[in-house]
Amino acid sequence: MTIQDIPARISISQPMIDAYARLSGDFNPLHVDPAIAAATPFGGTIAHGCIPMEPIFQAAQALIGKPVMPPGSTMSLRYLRPSQPGDTIHLEAQPEEVATDGARAFAFACVNQRGEKVIEGRCTIPVAP
Amino acid sequence: MTNPLTTFDGAEIGRQVCEGRIVVSQADIDGFCALMGYDDPAYRTDAPGGAMAPTSMCLTYGLRLGWEEDVFPPGAIRMGDENVYGVPARAGDTLTTVLTIVDRFERKERKFLKYEMVTSNQRGERVCTVAFTAIVP
């Protein structure tokens, strides 16, 4: 199995955003107040940046068959555009690179249902202990 | 009142801004798993060695500290992350997160701050380092 074979996606809803606000303490009205957010250039609420990251974790953990990332794993990423309720974000990964010690790395993009990249970056995964 | 150490002009690069502690509960793990759709037995209360928290849950620890301590200014826009993951957090762990502003720069007339949140468990093991850069007002 390669990283490109793994389906990884998340569907974003306002209740999910509200719940993430309670977890993270980030109650920015842009996330949780549809009335205020409607008056912004986004036209509605936007998800916390960590929510559309989830497909990266799903795919990376499925790739190595572990429930958590092994110590020393890294992610470097840029947020390109916001995600909103109703969006479904999936992972599009480039072919993984495997080092001689078994460590893996892949470039990725988190892409919405319109084919727009919302996040892009790179993930490295050392060999799990 | 805004802590001057958290503003673009007042931030002292490399100086710790705040520190917080939380105890990871099984209810927290269950809630996060339900929210994100994780169902591996390793997250459950009867997992050998105790339930592990999904790695992505560790992103919330530093964020919660930053918002609770009013470190992140309203209107801050997160631009990118550089994250390193360590040992998994487990139910019952007491996690300590230290938040530091590690960089400040201007580009195209916008102001940027880079925040670093280092979370460790009660044994001093690194759980994660979450660093993100934000445009600040």
Side-chain angles (χ1 to χ4, degrees), chain A residues 10 16 19-20 22-26 28 49-51 53-54 57-58 61 67-79, chain B residues 28 32 35-36 38 40 42-43 52-56 59-60 63-64 67 75-76 78-88:
Chain A
I10 190 164
M16 171 185 281
Y20 201 88
R22 291 190 290 275
L23 282 168
S24 65
D26 180 358
N28 186 330
C50 297
I51 295 176
M53 284 177 69
E54 277 298 329
F57 291 96
Q58 292 174 14
Q61 292 166 182
V68 293
M69 304 287 285
S73 300
T74 69
M75 286 182 195
S76 175
L77 55 92
R78 290 192 310 144
Y79 297 96
Chain B
D28 290 338
F32 189 85
L35 184 64
M36 297 302 180
Y38 289 111
D40 193 282
Y43 309 133
M52 289 192 284
T55 302
S56 56
L59 296 168
T60 65
L63 292 174
R64 183 186 296 185
W67 288 112
R78 189 168 164 181
M79 299 303 292
D81 286 13
E82 294 169 31
N83 302 335
V84 182
Y85 307 107
V87 299

Coordinates of all heavy atoms in Angstrom, one line a residue, chain A residues 10 16 19-20 22-26 28 49-51 53-54 57-58 61 67-79, chain B residues 28 32 35-36 38 40 42-43 52-56 59-60 63-64 67 75-76 78-88:
Chain A
I10 N -12.3 14.4 5.3 CA -13.1 14.8 6.4 C -14.2 15.8 5.9 O -13.9 16.6 5.0 CB -12.3 15.5 7.5 CG1 -13.1 15.7 8.8 CG2 -11.6 16.8 7.0 CD1 -12.3 16.0 10.0
M16 N -19.3 20.5 14.0 CA -17.9 20.1 14.2 C -17.0 21.3 14.6 O -16.1 21.2 15.5 CB -17.3 19.4 12.9 CG -15.9 19.1 12.9 SD -15.3 18.5 11.3 CE -15.8 16.8 11.5
A19 N -17.6 22.2 18.1 CA -17.0 21.3 19.1 C -15.5 21.5 19.1 O -14.9 21.5 20.2 CB -17.3 19.9 18.6
Y20 N -14.9 21.8 18.0 CA -13.4 22.1 18.0 C -13.1 23.4 18.7 O -12.1 23.5 19.4 CB -12.9 22.1 16.5 CG -11.4 21.9 16.5 CD1 -10.9 20.6 16.4 CD2 -10.5 22.9 16.7 CE1 -9.6 20.3 16.5 CE2 -9.1 22.7 16.7 CZ -8.7 21.4 16.6 OH -7.3 21.1 16.7
R22 N -14.6 24.4 21.4 CA -14.6 24.0 22.8 C -13.3 23.3 23.2 O -12.8 23.5 24.2 CB -15.8 23.2 23.1 CG -17.2 24.0 23.0 CD -18.3 23.2 23.6 NE -18.7 22.0 22.8 CZ -19.5 22.1 21.7 NH1 -20.1 23.3 21.4 NH2 -19.8 21.0 21.0
L23 N -12.8 22.5 22.3 CA -11.5 21.7 22.5 C -10.3 22.7 22.5 O -9.4 22.5 23.4 CB -11.3 20.7 21.4 CG -12.1 19.4 21.5 CD1 -12.0 18.6 20.2 CD2 -11.6 18.6 22.7
S24 N -10.3 23.6 21.6 CA -9.1 24.4 21.4 C -9.2 25.8 22.2 O -8.2 26.5 22.3 CB -8.9 24.7 20.0 OG -10.0 25.5 19.4
G25 N -10.4 26.1 22.6 CA -10.6 27.4 23.3 C -10.6 28.6 22.3 O -10.6 29.8 22.7
D26 N -10.7 28.3 21.0 CA -10.7 29.3 20.0 C -12.1 29.6 19.5 O -12.7 28.9 18.7 CB -9.9 28.9 18.8 CG -9.8 29.9 17.7 OD1 -10.5 31.0 17.8 OD2 -9.1 29.7 16.7
N28 N -13.2 32.4 18.2 CA -13.3 33.5 17.2 C -14.6 33.5 16.5 O -15.0 32.5 16.0 CB -12.1 33.4 16.2 CG -12.0 34.5 15.3 OD1 -13.0 35.2 14.9 ND2 -10.8 34.8 14.8
G49 N -8.0 25.9 11.5 CA -7.0 25.4 10.5 C -6.7 23.9 10.8 O -6.3 23.2 9.8
C50 N -6.8 23.4 12.0 CA -6.5 22.0 12.3 C -7.5 21.0 11.7 O -7.1 19.9 11.5 CB -6.4 21.8 13.8 SG -5.1 22.8 14.6
I51 N -8.7 21.5 11.5 CA -9.7 20.5 11.0 C -9.4 20.0 9.6 O -9.3 18.8 9.4 CB -11.1 21.1 11.1 CG1 -11.5 21.4 12.6 CG2 -12.1 20.2 10.4 CD1 -12.8 22.1 12.8
M53 N -6.6 19.6 8.4 CA -5.4 18.9 8.5 C -5.6 17.4 8.7 O -4.7 16.6 8.5 CB -4.5 19.4 9.6 CG -3.8 20.7 9.4 SD -2.9 21.2 10.9 CE -1.6 19.9 11.0
E54 N -6.8 17.0 9.3 CA -7.0 15.7 9.7 C -6.7 14.6 8.7 O -6.2 13.6 9.0 CB -8.5 15.5 10.2 CG -8.7 16.0 11.6 CD -7.9 15.2 12.6 OE1 -7.6 14.0 12.4 OE2 -7.5 15.8 13.7
F57 N -3.2 13.2 8.9 CA -3.0 12.3 10.0 C -3.6 10.9 9.7 O -3.0 9.9 9.9 CB -3.6 12.8 11.3 CG -2.9 14.0 11.9 CD1 -3.3 15.3 11.7 CD2 -1.7 13.8 12.7 CE1 -2.6 16.4 12.2 CE2 -1.1 14.9 13.2 CZ -1.5 16.2 13.0
Q58 N -4.8 11.0 9.2 CA -5.5 9.7 8.8 C -4.6 8.9 7.9 O -4.4 7.7 8.1 CB -6.8 10.0 8.1 CG -7.9 10.6 9.0 CD -9.1 11.0 8.1 OE1 -9.2 10.6 7.0 NE2 -10.0 11.8 8.7
Q61 N -1.1 7.7 9.4 CA -1.2 6.6 10.4 C -1.7 5.3 9.7 O -1.2 4.2 10.1 CB -2.2 7.1 11.5 CG -1.5 8.2 12.3 CD -2.5 8.9 13.2 OE1 -2.1 9.8 13.9 NE2 -3.7 8.5 13.3
P67 N -1.8 3.7 15.3 CA -2.9 4.7 15.7 C -2.3 6.1 16.0 O -3.1 7.0 16.1 CB -3.4 4.0 17.0 CG -2.3 3.3 17.6 CD -1.5 2.8 16.4
V68 N -1.0 6.2 16.1 CA -0.5 7.5 16.3 C 0.8 7.7 15.5 O 1.4 6.7 15.0 CB -0.1 7.8 17.8 CG1 -1.3 7.8 18.7 CG2 0.9 6.7 18.3
M69 N 1.2 8.9 15.3 CA 2.5 9.1 14.5 C 3.6 8.8 15.4 O 3.7 9.1 16.6 CB 2.6 10.6 14.2 CG 1.4 11.2 13.4 SD 1.3 10.6 11.7 CE 2.6 11.6 11.0
P70 N 4.7 8.1 14.9 CA 5.8 7.8 15.7 C 6.6 9.0 16.1 O 6.6 10.0 15.4 CB 6.7 6.9 14.8 CG 6.2 7.0 13.4 CD 4.8 7.6 13.5
P71 N 7.3 8.9 17.3 CA 8.1 10.1 17.7 C 9.1 10.5 16.6 O 9.7 9.7 16.0 CB 8.8 9.6 19.0 CG 7.8 8.5 19.5 CD 7.3 7.8 18.2
G72 N 9.2 11.8 16.5 CA 10.1 12.4 15.5 C 9.4 12.7 14.1 O 10.0 13.2 13.2
S73 N 8.1 12.3 14.0 CA 7.4 12.7 12.8 C 7.3 14.2 12.7 O 7.1 14.9 13.7 CB 6.0 12.1 12.8 OG 6.1 10.7 12.9
T74 N 7.3 14.7 11.5 CA 7.1 16.1 11.3 C 6.1 16.4 10.2 O 5.8 15.6 9.3 CB 8.5 16.8 10.9 OG1 8.8 16.4 9.5 CG2 9.6 16.4 11.8
M75 N 5.5 17.6 10.3 CA 4.7 18.2 9.3 C 5.0 19.6 9.1 O 5.1 20.4 10.1 CB 3.2 18.1 9.6 CG 2.6 16.7 9.5 SD 0.8 16.7 9.9 CE 0.6 15.0 10.2
S76 N 5.2 20.0 7.9 CA 5.4 21.4 7.5 C 4.4 21.8 6.5 O 4.2 21.1 5.5 CB 6.9 21.6 7.0 OG 7.0 22.9 6.5
L77 N 3.6 22.8 6.8 CA 2.5 23.1 5.9 C 2.2 24.6 5.8 O 2.5 25.4 6.7 CB 1.3 22.3 6.3 CG 0.8 22.5 7.8 CD1 -0.2 23.5 7.8 CD2 0.3 21.1 8.3
R78 N 1.5 24.9 4.7 CA 1.0 26.3 4.5 C -0.5 26.2 4.3 O -1.0 25.3 3.6 CB 1.6 26.9 3.3 CG 3.1 27.3 3.4 CD 3.5 28.2 2.3 NE 3.1 27.6 1.0 CZ 2.7 28.4 -0.1 NH1 2.7 29.7 0.1 NH2 2.4 27.9 -1.2
Y79 N -1.2 27.1 4.9 CA -2.7 27.2 4.7 C -2.9 28.2 3.5 O -2.4 29.3 3.4 CB -3.3 27.8 5.9 CG -3.2 27.0 7.1 CD1 -2.2 27.2 8.1 CD2 -4.1 25.9 7.3 CE1 -2.1 26.4 9.2 CE2 -3.9 25.1 8.4 CZ -2.9 25.4 9.4 OH -2.8 24.6 10.5
Chain B
D28 N -12.0 13.5 27.2 CA -11.4 14.3 26.2 C -11.0 13.5 24.9 O -11.3 13.9 23.8 CB -10.1 15.0 26.7 CG -10.4 16.1 27.7 OD1 -11.5 16.6 27.8 OD2 -9.4 16.4 28.4
F32 N -12.8 13.7 21.3 CA -12.0 14.0 20.1 C -12.2 12.9 19.0 O -12.3 13.2 17.8 CB -10.5 14.2 20.4 CG -9.7 14.8 19.3 CD1 -9.6 16.1 19.1 CD2 -9.0 13.9 18.4 CE1 -8.9 16.6 18.0 CE2 -8.3 14.4 17.4 CZ -8.2 15.8 17.2
L35 N -15.4 13.2 17.3 CA -15.5 14.4 16.4 C -14.8 14.1 15.1 O -15.3 14.5 14.1 CB -14.9 15.6 17.2 CG -14.9 16.9 16.4 CD1 -16.3 17.4 16.3 CD2 -14.1 17.9 17.2
M36 N -13.6 13.4 15.2 CA -12.8 13.2 14.0 C -13.0 11.9 13.4 O -12.3 11.6 12.3 CB -11.3 13.5 14.4 CG -11.1 14.9 14.8 SD -11.6 16.1 13.6 CE -11.2 17.7 14.4
Y38 N -12.2 8.8 14.7 CA -11.1 7.8 15.1 C -11.8 6.7 15.9 O -12.5 7.0 16.8 CB -10.0 8.4 15.9 CG -9.1 9.3 15.1 CD1 -9.1 10.7 15.3 CD2 -8.3 8.8 14.1 CE1 -8.3 11.5 14.6 CE2 -7.4 9.6 13.4 CZ -7.4 11.0 13.6 OH -6.6 11.8 12.9
D40 N -9.8 3.5 16.6 CA -8.9 2.4 16.9 C -9.0 2.0 18.3 O -9.2 2.9 19.2 CB -7.5 2.9 16.6 CG -6.4 1.8 16.5 OD1 -6.0 1.3 17.6 OD2 -6.1 1.3 15.4
A42 N -6.8 1.5 20.4 CA -5.7 2.1 21.1 C -6.2 3.4 21.9 O -5.5 3.8 22.8 CB -4.5 2.4 20.2
Y43 N -7.3 3.9 21.4 CA -7.8 5.1 22.0 C -8.8 4.8 23.2 O -9.3 5.8 23.8 CB -8.5 6.0 21.0 CG -7.7 6.3 19.7 CD1 -8.3 6.1 18.5 CD2 -6.4 6.7 19.8 CE1 -7.6 6.3 17.3 CE2 -5.7 6.9 18.6 CZ -6.3 6.7 17.4 OH -5.6 7.0 16.2
M52 N -4.4 5.9 24.3 CA -3.6 7.0 23.7 C -4.5 8.0 23.1 O -5.6 7.7 22.6 CB -2.7 6.4 22.6 CG -1.6 5.6 23.2 SD -0.3 5.2 21.9 CE -1.2 3.9 21.0
A53 N -4.0 9.3 23.1 CA -4.8 10.3 22.4 C -4.3 10.3 20.9 O -3.1 10.2 20.7 CB -4.5 11.7 23.1
P54 N -5.2 10.5 20.0 CA -4.8 10.7 18.6 C -3.7 11.8 18.5 O -3.8 12.8 19.2 CB -6.0 11.0 17.9 CG -7.1 10.5 18.7 CD -6.7 10.6 20.1
T55 N -2.8 11.6 17.6 CA -1.7 12.6 17.5 C -2.2 14.0 17.2 O -1.8 15.0 17.8 CB -0.7 12.2 16.4 OG1 -0.2 10.9 16.7 CG2 0.4 13.2 16.3
S56 N -3.3 14.0 16.4 CA -3.8 15.4 16.0 C -4.4 16.1 17.2 O -4.5 17.3 17.1 CB -4.7 15.3 14.8 OG -5.8 14.4 15.1
L59 N -2.5 19.1 18.8 CA -2.6 20.4 18.3 C -3.4 21.3 19.2 O -3.2 22.6 19.2 CB -3.1 20.4 16.9 CG -2.3 19.7 15.8 CD1 -3.0 19.5 14.5 CD2 -1.0 20.4 15.6
T60 N -4.4 20.7 19.9 CA -5.3 21.6 20.7 C -4.7 22.1 22.0 O -5.1 23.1 22.5 CB -6.6 20.8 21.0 OG1 -6.2 19.7 21.9 CG2 -7.2 20.2 19.8
L63 N -2.9 25.5 21.4 CA -3.9 26.5 21.0 C -4.8 26.9 22.2 O -5.1 28.1 22.4 CB -4.8 25.9 19.9 CG -4.1 25.6 18.6 CD1 -5.0 24.9 17.6 CD2 -3.6 27.0 17.9
R64 N -5.2 25.9 23.0 CA -6.1 26.3 24.1 C -5.4 27.2 25.0 O -5.9 28.2 25.5 CB -6.5 25.0 24.8 CG -7.4 25.2 26.0 CD -7.7 24.0 26.8 NE -8.4 22.9 26.0 CZ -8.8 21.8 26.5 NH1 -8.6 21.5 27.8 NH2 -9.4 20.9 25.8
W67 N -5.1 30.8 23.5 CA -6.4 31.5 23.5 C -6.8 31.9 25.0 O -7.3 33.0 25.2 CB -7.5 30.7 22.8 CG -7.3 30.7 21.4 CD1 -7.0 29.6 20.6 CD2 -7.4 31.8 20.4 NE1 -6.9 30.0 19.3 CE2 -7.1 31.3 19.2 CE3 -7.7 33.2 20.6 CZ2 -7.1 32.1 18.0 CZ3 -7.7 34.0 19.5 CH2 -7.4 33.5 18.2
G75 N -8.3 38.4 15.3 CA -8.0 38.7 13.9 C -6.7 38.2 13.4 O -6.4 38.3 12.2
A76 N -6.0 37.4 14.2 CA -4.8 36.8 13.7 C -5.1 35.7 12.7 O -6.1 35.0 12.8 CB -4.0 36.1 14.9
R78 N -3.7 32.5 10.7 CA -2.7 31.4 10.7 C -2.2 31.1 9.3 O -3.1 30.8 8.4 CB -3.2 30.2 11.4 CG -2.3 29.1 11.7 CD -3.0 28.2 12.6 NE -2.4 26.9 12.8 CZ -2.9 25.9 13.5 NH1 -4.0 26.1 14.2 NH2 -2.3 24.7 13.6
M79 N -1.0 31.2 9.0 CA -0.5 31.0 7.7 C 0.2 29.7 7.4 O 0.2 29.2 6.3 CB 0.5 32.1 7.3 CG 0.0 33.5 7.4 SD -1.5 33.8 6.4 CE -0.7 33.6 4.8
G80 N 0.8 29.1 8.4 CA 1.5 27.9 8.2 C 2.0 27.3 9.5 O 2.1 28.0 10.5
D81 N 2.3 26.0 9.5 CA 2.8 25.3 10.7 C 4.1 24.5 10.4 O 4.3 24.1 9.3 CB 1.8 24.2 11.1 CG 0.5 24.7 11.7 OD1 0.3 25.9 11.6 OD2 -0.3 23.9 12.2
E82 N 4.9 24.4 11.4 CA 6.0 23.5 11.4 C 5.9 22.7 12.7 O 6.2 23.2 13.8 CB 7.3 24.2 11.4 CG 7.5 25.0 10.1 CD 8.7 25.9 10.1 OE1 9.6 25.7 10.9 OE2 8.6 27.0 9.5
N83 N 5.5 21.4 12.6 CA 5.1 20.6 13.8 C 6.0 19.4 13.9 O 6.3 18.8 12.9 CB 3.7 20.2 13.8 CG 2.7 21.4 13.7 OD1 3.1 22.5 14.1 ND2 1.6 21.3 13.2
V84 N 6.4 19.1 15.1 CA 7.1 17.8 15.4 C 6.4 17.1 16.5 O 6.0 17.6 17.5 CB 8.6 18.1 15.9 CG1 9.3 16.8 16.1 CG2 9.3 19.0 14.9
Y85 N 6.1 15.8 16.2 CA 5.4 15.0 17.1 C 6.3 14.0 17.9 O 7.2 13.5 17.4 CB 4.3 14.2 16.4 CG 3.5 15.1 15.5 CD1 3.6 15.1 14.1 CD2 2.6 16.0 16.1 CE1 2.9 16.0 13.4 CE2 1.9 16.9 15.3 CZ 2.0 16.9 14.0 OH 1.3 17.8 13.2
G86 N 6.0 13.9 19.2 CA 6.8 13.1 20.1 C 6.1 11.8 20.6 O 5.3 11.2 19.8
V87 N 6.2 11.6 21.8 CA 5.6 10.4 22.4 C 4.1 10.7 22.5 O 3.7 11.9 22.6 CB 6.1 10.0 23.8 CG1 7.6 9.7 23.8 CG2 5.8 11.2 24.8
P88 N 3.2 9.7 22.4 CA 1.8 10.0 22.5 C 1.4 10.4 23.9 O 2.0 9.9 24.8 CB 1.2 8.6 22.0 CG 2.2 7.6 22.3 CD 3.5 8.3 22.1

